Amino acid sequence: VQLQASGGGLVQAGGSLRLSCAASGSIFGTKSMTWYRQAPGKQRELVATITSGGGTNYADSVKGRFTISRDNAKNTLYLQMNSLRPEDTAVYYCNINALGGGLSWRDYWGQGTQVTVSS
């Protein structure tokens, strides 16, 4: 299973970006899908997660501004980010818990996409 994240970039404060994470390869099922981020000098933190049933959970810092969604038919995860702030600047990583070709459930990670918000 390979994950390809895209959609990052440079945006002014108050702007919006939409991240995507497309999973490919031998995928026989998916469970939770999650976005994490890591700012320079800080630990990686959970941003938002979505279950296979569509239940969502967000970090307090992004509630009301970010929306996580998924397209199960396309094995793709999204993160709509609105009202961006300079403190949202980080590398964003996608994580998918999936049943791959090895026929075992495990976590897979994307390569990360840089989001930079200027003030």
Side-chain angles (χ1 to χ4, degrees), residues 17-21 31-36 46-59 62-71 76-82 92-96:
L17 285 173
R18 188 191 194 208
L19 305 184
S20 298
C21 177
K31 292 184 178 178
S32 62
M33 295 183 172
T34 304
W35 287 100
Y36 291 83
L46 186 147
V47 176
T49 191
I50 184 167
T51 68
S52 57
T56 59
N57 188 48
Y58 296 91
V62 306
K63 281 181 182 177
R65 300 188 298 123
F66 290 11
T67 302
I68 190 171
S69 61
R70 60 191 285 172
D71 185 331
T76 301
L77 174 67
Y78 302 99
L79 186 68
Q80 178 66 43
M81 305 186 294
N82 298 327
Y92 284 70
Y93 298 91
C94 54
N95 171 284
I96 294 178

Short mmCIF file of all heavy atoms in Angstrom, two decimals, residues 17-21 31-36 46-59 62-71 76-82 92-96:
data_model
loop_
_atom_site.label_atom_id
_atom_site.label_comp_id
_atom_site.label_asym_id
_atom_site.label_seq_id
_atom_site.Cartn_x
_atom_site.Cartn_y
_atom_site.Cartn_z
N LEU A 17 -6.76 25.74 2.10
CA LEU A 17 -6.10 24.71 1.32
C LEU A 17 -6.87 23.42 1.48
O LEU A 17 -7.52 23.20 2.52
CB LEU A 17 -4.66 24.48 1.79
CG LEU A 17 -3.59 25.51 1.41
CD1 LEU A 17 -2.28 25.18 2.12
CD2 LEU A 17 -3.38 25.57 -0.08
N ARG A 18 -6.77 22.55 0.50
CA ARG A 18 -7.38 21.23 0.59
C ARG A 18 -6.30 20.19 0.34
O ARG A 18 -5.71 20.14 -0.74
CB ARG A 18 -8.50 21.07 -0.42
CG ARG A 18 -9.29 19.77 -0.23
CD ARG A 18 -10.22 19.52 -1.38
NE ARG A 18 -11.21 18.48 -1.08
CZ ARG A 18 -11.75 17.70 -2.00
NH1 ARG A 18 -11.40 17.83 -3.27
NH2 ARG A 18 -12.65 16.79 -1.66
N LEU A 19 -6.06 19.37 1.34
CA LEU A 19 -5.09 18.29 1.22
C LEU A 19 -5.79 17.02 0.77
O LEU A 19 -6.95 16.76 1.14
CB LEU A 19 -4.39 18.03 2.55
CG LEU A 19 -3.70 19.22 3.21
CD1 LEU A 19 -2.98 18.76 4.47
CD2 LEU A 19 -2.75 19.91 2.26
N SER A 20 -5.07 16.22 0.00
CA SER A 20 -5.57 14.92 -0.43
C SER A 20 -4.53 13.86 -0.12
O SER A 20 -3.32 14.14 -0.11
CB SER A 20 -5.86 14.91 -1.93
OG SER A 20 -6.86 15.84 -2.27
N CYS A 21 -4.99 12.65 0.09
CA CYS A 21 -4.09 11.53 0.33
C CYS A 21 -4.70 10.31 -0.37
O CYS A 21 -5.72 9.80 0.08
CB CYS A 21 -3.92 11.27 1.82
SG CYS A 21 -2.90 9.83 2.22
N LYS A 31 -9.79 1.05 7.72
CA LYS A 31 -10.48 1.43 8.96
C LYS A 31 -10.31 2.94 9.14
O LYS A 31 -10.73 3.71 8.28
CB LYS A 31 -9.93 0.63 10.13
CG LYS A 31 -10.27 -0.85 10.07
CD LYS A 31 -9.78 -1.59 11.30
CE LYS A 31 -10.17 -3.06 11.24
NZ LYS A 31 -9.65 -3.81 12.43
N SER A 32 -9.69 3.38 10.18
CA SER A 32 -9.56 4.81 10.41
C SER A 32 -8.54 5.43 9.48
O SER A 32 -7.59 4.79 9.05
CB SER A 32 -9.17 5.08 11.87
OG SER A 32 -7.91 4.51 12.15
N MET A 33 -8.79 6.70 9.17
CA MET A 33 -7.87 7.50 8.37
C MET A 33 -7.61 8.78 9.14
O MET A 33 -8.55 9.38 9.67
CB MET A 33 -8.47 7.83 7.00
CG MET A 33 -8.71 6.63 6.12
SD MET A 33 -9.35 7.14 4.49
CE MET A 33 -9.30 5.60 3.61
N THR A 34 -6.37 9.20 9.19
CA THR A 34 -5.99 10.28 10.10
C THR A 34 -4.99 11.22 9.43
O THR A 34 -4.13 10.79 8.67
CB THR A 34 -5.35 9.70 11.38
OG1 THR A 34 -6.26 8.77 11.98
CG2 THR A 34 -5.02 10.79 12.38
N TRP A 35 -5.12 12.51 9.74
CA TRP A 35 -4.11 13.51 9.40
C TRP A 35 -3.34 13.88 10.66
O TRP A 35 -3.94 14.14 11.70
CB TRP A 35 -4.75 14.76 8.81
CG TRP A 35 -5.26 14.59 7.42
CD1 TRP A 35 -6.55 14.38 7.04
CD2 TRP A 35 -4.49 14.62 6.22
NE1 TRP A 35 -6.63 14.28 5.68
CE2 TRP A 35 -5.38 14.43 5.15
CE3 TRP A 35 -3.14 14.79 5.93
CZ2 TRP A 35 -4.96 14.40 3.82
CZ3 TRP A 35 -2.71 14.76 4.62
CH2 TRP A 35 -3.62 14.57 3.57
N TYR A 36 -2.03 13.91 10.54
CA TYR A 36 -1.14 14.40 11.57
C TYR A 36 -0.36 15.58 11.00
O TYR A 36 -0.31 15.79 9.79
CB TYR A 36 -0.13 13.32 11.99
CG TYR A 36 -0.72 12.15 12.74
CD1 TYR A 36 -1.29 11.08 12.06
CD2 TYR A 36 -0.67 12.09 14.13
CE1 TYR A 36 -1.82 9.99 12.74
CE2 TYR A 36 -1.19 11.00 14.82
CZ TYR A 36 -1.76 9.96 14.11
OH TYR A 36 -2.28 8.88 14.80
N LEU A 46 -1.82 14.79 16.30
CA LEU A 46 -3.01 14.41 15.56
C LEU A 46 -3.82 15.66 15.23
O LEU A 46 -4.07 16.50 16.10
CB LEU A 46 -3.85 13.43 16.37
CG LEU A 46 -5.07 12.81 15.67
CD1 LEU A 46 -5.29 11.39 16.19
CD2 LEU A 46 -6.31 13.65 15.88
N VAL A 47 -4.24 15.76 13.98
CA VAL A 47 -5.07 16.89 13.55
C VAL A 47 -6.53 16.47 13.49
O VAL A 47 -7.40 17.14 14.05
CB VAL A 47 -4.61 17.39 12.17
CG1 VAL A 47 -5.52 18.50 11.67
CG2 VAL A 47 -3.16 17.87 12.22
N ALA A 48 -6.80 15.39 12.78
CA ALA A 48 -8.18 14.93 12.62
C ALA A 48 -8.17 13.47 12.19
O ALA A 48 -7.24 13.03 11.52
CB ALA A 48 -8.92 15.77 11.58
N THR A 49 -9.22 12.78 12.60
CA THR A 49 -9.34 11.38 12.22
C THR A 49 -10.78 11.08 11.82
O THR A 49 -11.72 11.75 12.30
CB THR A 49 -8.89 10.46 13.37
OG1 THR A 49 -8.78 9.12 12.91
CG2 THR A 49 -9.86 10.51 14.54
N ILE A 50 -10.95 10.12 10.94
CA ILE A 50 -12.28 9.72 10.49
C ILE A 50 -12.34 8.20 10.45
O ILE A 50 -11.42 7.54 9.95
CB ILE A 50 -12.62 10.34 9.12
CG1 ILE A 50 -14.06 10.00 8.71
CG2 ILE A 50 -11.61 9.95 8.05
CD1 ILE A 50 -14.56 10.85 7.53
N THR A 51 -13.40 7.65 11.01
CA THR A 51 -13.56 6.20 11.06
C THR A 51 -14.15 5.69 9.75
O THR A 51 -14.59 6.46 8.90
CB THR A 51 -14.46 5.80 12.22
OG1 THR A 51 -15.80 6.26 11.94
CG2 THR A 51 -13.98 6.40 13.53
N SER A 52 -14.20 4.39 9.63
CA SER A 52 -14.78 3.79 8.43
C SER A 52 -16.27 4.13 8.32
O SER A 52 -16.82 4.18 7.21
CB SER A 52 -14.59 2.27 8.44
OG SER A 52 -15.16 1.71 9.61
N GLY A 53 -16.90 4.40 9.45
CA GLY A 53 -18.32 4.75 9.45
C GLY A 53 -18.59 6.22 9.30
O GLY A 53 -19.74 6.65 9.27
N GLY A 54 -17.53 7.00 9.20
CA GLY A 54 -17.68 8.44 9.00
C GLY A 54 -17.61 9.29 10.26
O GLY A 54 -17.75 10.51 10.20
N GLY A 55 -17.41 8.66 11.40
CA GLY A 55 -17.25 9.44 12.62
C GLY A 55 -15.95 10.21 12.61
O GLY A 55 -14.94 9.72 12.10
N THR A 56 -15.97 11.43 13.12
CA THR A 56 -14.79 12.30 13.06
C THR A 56 -14.39 12.79 14.44
O THR A 56 -15.20 12.86 15.37
CB THR A 56 -15.05 13.51 12.16
OG1 THR A 56 -16.17 14.25 12.66
CG2 THR A 56 -15.33 13.08 10.73
N ASN A 57 -13.12 13.14 14.53
CA ASN A 57 -12.58 13.72 15.75
C ASN A 57 -11.50 14.71 15.35
O ASN A 57 -10.73 14.45 14.42
CB ASN A 57 -12.00 12.64 16.66
CG ASN A 57 -11.62 13.18 18.02
OD1 ASN A 57 -12.40 13.87 18.66
ND2 ASN A 57 -10.41 12.87 18.47
N TYR A 58 -11.46 15.85 16.04
CA TYR A 58 -10.52 16.91 15.68
C TYR A 58 -9.73 17.38 16.90
O TYR A 58 -10.22 17.35 18.03
CB TYR A 58 -11.28 18.12 15.13
CG TYR A 58 -12.01 17.87 13.84
CD1 TYR A 58 -13.34 17.43 13.85
CD2 TYR A 58 -11.38 18.05 12.61
CE1 TYR A 58 -14.02 17.19 12.67
CE2 TYR A 58 -12.06 17.82 11.42
CZ TYR A 58 -13.37 17.39 11.46
OH TYR A 58 -14.04 17.15 10.28
N ALA A 59 -8.53 17.84 16.64
CA ALA A 59 -7.78 18.53 17.67
C ALA A 59 -8.52 19.83 17.99
O ALA A 59 -9.12 20.45 17.09
CB ALA A 59 -6.37 18.84 17.19
N VAL A 62 -8.08 22.98 15.76
CA VAL A 62 -8.57 23.08 14.39
C VAL A 62 -10.09 22.94 14.29
O VAL A 62 -10.65 23.08 13.19
CB VAL A 62 -7.90 22.04 13.47
CG1 VAL A 62 -6.38 22.14 13.57
CG2 VAL A 62 -8.38 20.63 13.77
N LYS A 63 -10.75 22.68 15.39
CA LYS A 63 -12.20 22.52 15.37
C LYS A 63 -12.88 23.76 14.81
O LYS A 63 -12.53 24.89 15.18
CB LYS A 63 -12.73 22.24 16.78
CG LYS A 63 -12.53 20.81 17.24
CD LYS A 63 -13.10 20.60 18.64
CE LYS A 63 -12.87 19.18 19.11
NZ LYS A 63 -13.35 18.98 20.50
N GLY A 64 -13.82 23.52 13.91
CA GLY A 64 -14.55 24.63 13.31
C GLY A 64 -13.85 25.24 12.10
O GLY A 64 -14.45 26.06 11.39
N ARG A 65 -12.60 24.87 11.87
CA ARG A 65 -11.86 25.42 10.73
C ARG A 65 -11.50 24.33 9.71
O ARG A 65 -11.45 24.60 8.52
CB ARG A 65 -10.57 26.08 11.22
CG ARG A 65 -10.79 27.22 12.19
CD ARG A 65 -9.49 27.96 12.49
NE ARG A 65 -8.49 27.10 13.12
CZ ARG A 65 -7.28 26.90 12.63
NH1 ARG A 65 -6.91 27.44 11.48
NH2 ARG A 65 -6.42 26.12 13.28
N PHE A 66 -11.21 23.13 10.20
CA PHE A 66 -10.79 22.03 9.32
C PHE A 66 -11.93 21.01 9.23
O PHE A 66 -12.65 20.77 10.20
CB PHE A 66 -9.56 21.34 9.87
CG PHE A 66 -8.29 22.14 9.82
CD1 PHE A 66 -8.28 23.49 9.50
CD2 PHE A 66 -7.07 21.54 10.11
CE1 PHE A 66 -7.12 24.23 9.45
CE2 PHE A 66 -5.89 22.25 10.07
CZ PHE A 66 -5.92 23.59 9.75
N THR A 67 -12.02 20.36 8.08
CA THR A 67 -12.99 19.28 7.87
C THR A 67 -12.31 18.10 7.22
O THR A 67 -11.72 18.24 6.14
CB THR A 67 -14.16 19.75 7.00
OG1 THR A 67 -14.80 20.88 7.61
CG2 THR A 67 -15.18 18.62 6.84
N ILE A 68 -12.39 16.96 7.87
CA ILE A 68 -11.82 15.73 7.31
C ILE A 68 -12.93 14.94 6.62
O ILE A 68 -14.08 14.93 7.08
CB ILE A 68 -11.15 14.89 8.42
CG1 ILE A 68 -10.34 13.73 7.81
CG2 ILE A 68 -12.16 14.39 9.45
CD1 ILE A 68 -9.47 13.00 8.84
N SER A 69 -12.60 14.32 5.51
CA SER A 69 -13.56 13.50 4.79
C SER A 69 -12.81 12.39 4.06
O SER A 69 -11.58 12.44 3.94
CB SER A 69 -14.38 14.35 3.81
OG SER A 69 -13.54 14.94 2.83
N ARG A 70 -13.57 11.44 3.57
CA ARG A 70 -12.96 10.31 2.86
C ARG A 70 -13.87 9.83 1.75
O ARG A 70 -15.10 9.95 1.85
CB ARG A 70 -12.65 9.16 3.83
CG ARG A 70 -13.87 8.60 4.55
CD ARG A 70 -13.47 7.66 5.68
NE ARG A 70 -13.02 6.37 5.16
CZ ARG A 70 -12.46 5.43 5.92
NH1 ARG A 70 -12.26 5.65 7.22
NH2 ARG A 70 -12.09 4.28 5.39
N ASP A 71 -13.26 9.30 0.71
CA ASP A 71 -13.98 8.68 -0.39
C ASP A 71 -13.54 7.22 -0.39
O ASP A 71 -12.45 6.90 -0.85
CB ASP A 71 -13.65 9.37 -1.71
CG ASP A 71 -14.46 8.82 -2.87
OD1 ASP A 71 -14.84 7.64 -2.84
OD2 ASP A 71 -14.70 9.58 -3.82
N THR A 76 -9.36 7.46 -0.77
CA THR A 76 -8.74 8.78 -0.69
C THR A 76 -9.24 9.53 0.53
O THR A 76 -10.43 9.49 0.85
CB THR A 76 -9.01 9.60 -1.97
OG1 THR A 76 -8.50 8.89 -3.09
CG2 THR A 76 -8.34 10.96 -1.89
N LEU A 77 -8.32 10.19 1.18
CA LEU A 77 -8.59 10.99 2.38
C LEU A 77 -8.38 12.46 2.04
O LEU A 77 -7.48 12.80 1.27
CB LEU A 77 -7.63 10.56 3.49
CG LEU A 77 -7.62 11.33 4.79
CD1 LEU A 77 -8.93 11.13 5.54
CD2 LEU A 77 -6.42 10.91 5.64
N TYR A 78 -9.21 13.32 2.63
CA TYR A 78 -9.13 14.75 2.37
C TYR A 78 -9.07 15.53 3.69
O TYR A 78 -9.53 15.05 4.73
CB TYR A 78 -10.34 15.24 1.58
CG TYR A 78 -10.54 14.54 0.26
CD1 TYR A 78 -11.47 13.50 0.16
CD2 TYR A 78 -9.83 14.91 -0.87
CE1 TYR A 78 -11.67 12.84 -1.05
CE2 TYR A 78 -10.02 14.26 -2.08
CZ TYR A 78 -10.94 13.23 -2.16
OH TYR A 78 -11.12 12.58 -3.36
N LEU A 79 -8.53 16.72 3.61
CA LEU A 79 -8.57 17.66 4.72
C LEU A 79 -8.79 19.06 4.15
O LEU A 79 -7.90 19.61 3.51
CB LEU A 79 -7.30 17.62 5.56
CG LEU A 79 -7.32 18.48 6.82
CD1 LEU A 79 -8.31 17.91 7.84
CD2 LEU A 79 -5.93 18.58 7.45
N GLN A 80 -9.98 19.58 4.36
CA GLN A 80 -10.28 20.96 3.96
C GLN A 80 -9.89 21.87 5.11
O GLN A 80 -10.40 21.73 6.22
CB GLN A 80 -11.76 21.11 3.64
CG GLN A 80 -12.16 22.53 3.27
CD GLN A 80 -11.54 23.00 1.96
OE1 GLN A 80 -11.50 22.24 0.99
NE2 GLN A 80 -11.06 24.23 1.94
N MET A 81 -8.98 22.79 4.83
CA MET A 81 -8.48 23.69 5.87
C MET A 81 -8.87 25.12 5.53
O MET A 81 -8.44 25.65 4.49
CB MET A 81 -6.95 23.56 5.97
CG MET A 81 -6.48 22.13 6.21
SD MET A 81 -4.70 22.03 6.50
CE MET A 81 -4.09 22.54 4.91
N ASN A 82 -9.68 25.72 6.36
CA ASN A 82 -10.13 27.10 6.18
C ASN A 82 -9.60 27.96 7.32
O ASN A 82 -9.18 27.45 8.36
CB ASN A 82 -11.65 27.15 6.14
CG ASN A 82 -12.24 26.36 4.99
OD1 ASN A 82 -11.65 26.25 3.92
ND2 ASN A 82 -13.43 25.82 5.20
N TYR A 92 2.25 18.07 6.91
CA TYR A 92 1.05 17.28 7.19
C TYR A 92 1.23 15.87 6.62
O TYR A 92 1.60 15.70 5.45
CB TYR A 92 -0.17 17.96 6.58
CG TYR A 92 -0.62 19.16 7.38
CD1 TYR A 92 0.15 20.32 7.42
CD2 TYR A 92 -1.79 19.13 8.13
CE1 TYR A 92 -0.24 21.42 8.18
CE2 TYR A 92 -2.19 20.22 8.89
CZ TYR A 92 -1.41 21.35 8.91
OH TYR A 92 -1.80 22.44 9.68
N TYR A 93 0.94 14.90 7.46
CA TYR A 93 1.08 13.49 7.09
C TYR A 93 -0.27 12.78 7.17
O TYR A 93 -1.04 13.01 8.10
CB TYR A 93 2.03 12.77 8.05
CG TYR A 93 3.44 13.31 8.05
CD1 TYR A 93 3.83 14.31 8.93
CD2 TYR A 93 4.39 12.79 7.18
CE1 TYR A 93 5.12 14.79 8.95
CE2 TYR A 93 5.70 13.27 7.19
CZ TYR A 93 6.05 14.27 8.07
OH TYR A 93 7.34 14.74 8.08
N CYS A 94 -0.52 11.91 6.20
CA CYS A 94 -1.72 11.09 6.27
C CYS A 94 -1.35 9.69 6.76
O CYS A 94 -0.24 9.21 6.53
CB CYS A 94 -2.43 11.02 4.93
SG CYS A 94 -1.43 10.48 3.55
N ASN A 95 -2.29 9.10 7.44
CA ASN A 95 -2.12 7.76 8.00
C ASN A 95 -3.40 6.99 7.76
O ASN A 95 -4.49 7.50 8.02
CB ASN A 95 -1.82 7.88 9.50
CG ASN A 95 -1.84 6.54 10.20
OD1 ASN A 95 -2.91 6.00 10.46
ND2 ASN A 95 -0.69 6.03 10.53
N ILE A 96 -3.25 5.78 7.27
CA ILE A 96 -4.43 4.94 7.00
C ILE A 96 -4.19 3.57 7.62
O ILE A 96 -3.12 2.97 7.42
CB ILE A 96 -4.69 4.81 5.49
CG1 ILE A 96 -5.07 6.16 4.91
CG2 ILE A 96 -5.77 3.79 5.23
CD1 ILE A 96 -5.29 6.14 3.41
#
